[in-house]
Every structure is written in C-alpha cells, then in structure tokens.
Amino acid sequence: MAEQLQLGVGCHAYIEGVETSYGYVPTLAAGIAYCTLFGLSMILHTVQMAWKRTWWTSVFSIGCLVEVIGWAGRTWSSKCPYSSTAFLMQISTLIIAPTFYTAGIYILLGRFIQLLGNESSILKPKLYLWIFCTCDVISLVVQAVGGGMASGEAGQIDGDTAPGTHIMVAGIVFQLFSITIFVFCAADFVRRTMRRRLLQSLTGSVIPLFAAMVLSIVCIYIRSIYRTIELSQGWSGYLITHESYFIALDGAMMIVCVAVFNVLHPGWLLPSGKNFSSKPDRPSTDGLEMNSSVDGLEGSRGPPLHW
C-alpha cells in the first residue's frame, strides 16, 4: 500500500505485480482515438452552433470538452499508470460529461413538444429541463462527495474506501433512476406521436432529427446501466477492471450520442421560432368575417342610379 502511494506521485512505468488504480494499464491507442473523436465533434458543434446561432447546443461542445479532458487523463495514465492525478482527472470528468448531453436532449425534446403540441407529452416542455437537470445535479453532487471521501481514504494507509464508494454508488443509482423516468416520458412521447400520427405533419428534415434524439437517448441509457453495475461491484469488480467494457459501453456510447447531432444538427433541421408550427396556417377568422361582410354589402346593393 505504501509503495502504491509513493508511485502515485510523479510518473512511473508499470511494475509487474503492482496493481494500478484501474486494475489494468489504460490503452494508449484508445485514449488517443477518443480524444481525437471527441475533439473533432467539439469543433464541429462549436462551428455549427455559431453558424446557425443555436446557442443552446453549446452543451454538446462543453460535454465534448469534458470528455476530451477525461480521455486525456486516460492517455496520460497509459504512460503513468500509477499517477493519482491522472486517475482522478479521468474518473471525475467522464462521470460528469454525459450530463451536458442529457441537458441538450431535454431541451430538444421540449422543442419537439412545442412543435407537435402539448398533447404529445405528459409534461410541459420546460419541466423536462428543470426536473431532470435538477436530478442530474443532485446525483453529481452525491457522486462527488462519495468520490472525494473514497479518494481521501485511498490516499491513506489502510484507509476504508467503502463508505465513500457506497455514497458514490447511491448517486449514480439515483441518476439511473431519474434517467429511467425520463426514458419512460420520452417513450410515452414517441408512443403519442406515433399513435396520433403527429409526425406526418412534420417536414421530412425533422424526422431524421427525431430519430437521432431517440438513438442518443438509447446510448445514454445503456451507458448509465453499465456505470451503475460497474460501480456497484466496487473498485475491484469485474467490469471496472476490464477496459474493453469501458471502451465499448462508455466511450463508444457517448461518441455516438453526441456525434449523431453533428450529422443531424438541430440548427439545420429544427424549424426556427418564426415557423415553429407543424400545422398548416388556417385562414384568419377576421378575414373570413370581413370577406363575408363585403359580399353581403355587394349583394345588398340595388341597381345603379341614373341621373
């Protein structure tokens, strides 16, 4: 234990028989690949946001930046596998990053509800952002407190990391619970739009964006289930000590979740506020009354007077 604490300071190559905080040495290629992918997505989202002035999509750029920091920490750990700074850097950022993506999806779902009408959802559009973002913040605070307690104990000889780990798991279980509720609400939204054929009133360009949102929600939910099981097994559990699961069920899910909006960006496909209506414009009632009154006047006119 004392040897591991000493190795945690500075950069030391892997020593056979001395375990790392990961339970393995992170793969350099995976770190570089995901840093590149998330970096490219961040640049594209920033350009698309500025071009179309859809400022709310900045959450995708911020999320990508946080992912880049996290995967940079794992890249660092591939060369310095015992570095406690690199380990804490990646574990804190990669837990937080998906929260920015979910915030973007909450906003996007609210826009779709505005587009299709309140009958398409059991909640009002703004409630999605307020309720579920609040739940995300609460879960992150709980996870941060638990993670801080666990890391503090890990930095001591014979430290007990169990209490902090249990708090951290409670935070991510609460996050999974809130996301599950959101998934049910989103599924109900999809059911209502399909049953009432609300999508038929949309233009063709909006439907792919709708599909992108559904795909992104599925990816986030898969990742949330994985992270919950991973942390519930503890720091020496099977999932957390096998990198292939993390690469596939966290990294891959998150890059699909955010990159799909590079291809199908809301700024290109979502109608602006000026034409934010899926229903065809109906003739003005006032106009009809005016026309009928004019017709009535014309019909009541007698023959022209001759002087």
Side-chain angles (χ1 to χ4, degrees):
M1 180 65 183
E3 182 182 8
Q4 287 182 324
L5 293 178
Q6 293 177 353
L7 291 173
V9 180
C11 183
H12 303 276
Y14 178 69
I15 301 173
E16 191 69 33
V18 179
E19 289 293 331
T20 69
S21 297
Y22 299 92
Y24 56 86
V25 177
T27 304
L28 177 63
I32 294 174
Y34 279 114
C35 280
T36 302
L37 290 173
F38 283 112
L40 289 174
S41 182
M42 177 186 67
I43 293 171
L44 284 174
H45 271 297
T46 303
V47 171
Q48 290 169 321
M49 171 194 67
W51 191 345
K52 301 300 294 182
R53 297 186 179 182
T54 49
W55 308 118
W56 65 270
T57 60
S58 61
V59 291
F60 295 128
S61 297
I62 297 171
C64 285
L65 175 60
V66 178
E67 291 276 5
V68 169
I69 295 172
W71 283 97
R74 293 183 67 88
T75 305
W76 180 6
S77 293
S78 67
K79 295 297 184 181
C80 310
Y82 300 103
S83 173
S84 58
T85 303
F87 179 77
L88 292 175
M89 172 180 165
Q90 63 87 32
I91 197 170
S92 58
T93 51
L94 294 180
I95 285 178
I96 293 172
T99 305
F100 295 98
Y101 304 150
T102 55
I105 292 173
Y106 300 153
I107 296 172
L108 181 58
L109 181 58
R111 296 294 179 90
F112 271 116
I113 295 169
Q114 292 176 3
L115 188 66
L116 295 170
N118 290 334
E119 67 272 14
S120 64
S121 174
I122 57 176
L123 294 177
K124 293 182 179 180
K126 291 183 179 179
L127 288 179
Y128 283 97
L129 185 62
W130 286 107
I131 293 175
F132 294 108
C133 274
T134 300
C135 290
D136 284 344
V137 170
I138 292 173
S139 68
L140 288 178
V141 170
V142 174
Q143 289 178 63
V145 171
M149 291 174 59
S151 62
E153 290 294 324
Q156 300 178 10
I157 298 177
D158 297 328
D160 185 10
T161 61
T165 301
H166 292 157
I167 293 174
M168 194 173 181
V169 170
I172 199 165
V173 167
F174 177 75
Q175 186 178 39
L176 177 63
F177 172 76
S178 65
I179 292 178
T180 300
I181 298 299
F182 171 73
V183 167
F184 275 112
C185 291
D188 180 71
F189 166 77
V190 174
R191 181 186 63 84
R192 288 172 181 240
T193 57
M194 295 299 183
R195 188 181 64 179
R196 303 183 184 187
R197 300 182 179 180
L198 298 176
L199 287 177
Q200 293 181 359
S201 61
L202 298 179
T203 58
S205 60
V206 181
I207 295 177
L209 180 60
F210 182 87
M213 182 188 71
V214 173
L215 174 61
S216 188
I217 292 172
V218 171
C219 289
I220 288 176
Y221 196 55
I222 291 173
R223 182 262 180 193
S224 297
I225 294 173
Y226 158 70
R227 294 292 285 194
T228 301
I229 298 174
E230 176 201 50
L231 288 178
S232 65
Q233 292 179 347
W235 298 104
S236 58
Y238 181 80
L239 289 180
I240 204 170
T241 55
H242 289 77
E243 186 184 24
S244 57
Y245 292 101
F246 186 83
I247 291 174
L249 297 176
D250 190 296
M253 291 297 102
M254 290 302 95
I255 194 61
V256 171
C257 164
V258 70
V260 68
F261 292 118
N262 286 128
V263 180
L264 302 168
H265 194 267
W268 297 110
L269 303 179
L270 199 63
S272 62
K274 295 180 180 179
N275 57 349
F276 211 79
S277 175
S278 62
K279 297 178 181 179
D281 296 333
R282 285 185 281 185
S284 171
T285 305
D286 295 338
L288 290 174
E289 292 177 352
M290 184 179 294
N291 290 336
S292 61
S293 63
V294 171
D295 292 340
L297 286 173
E298 290 178 350
S300 63
R301 289 175 186 170
L305 298 175
H306 300 283
W307 299 94

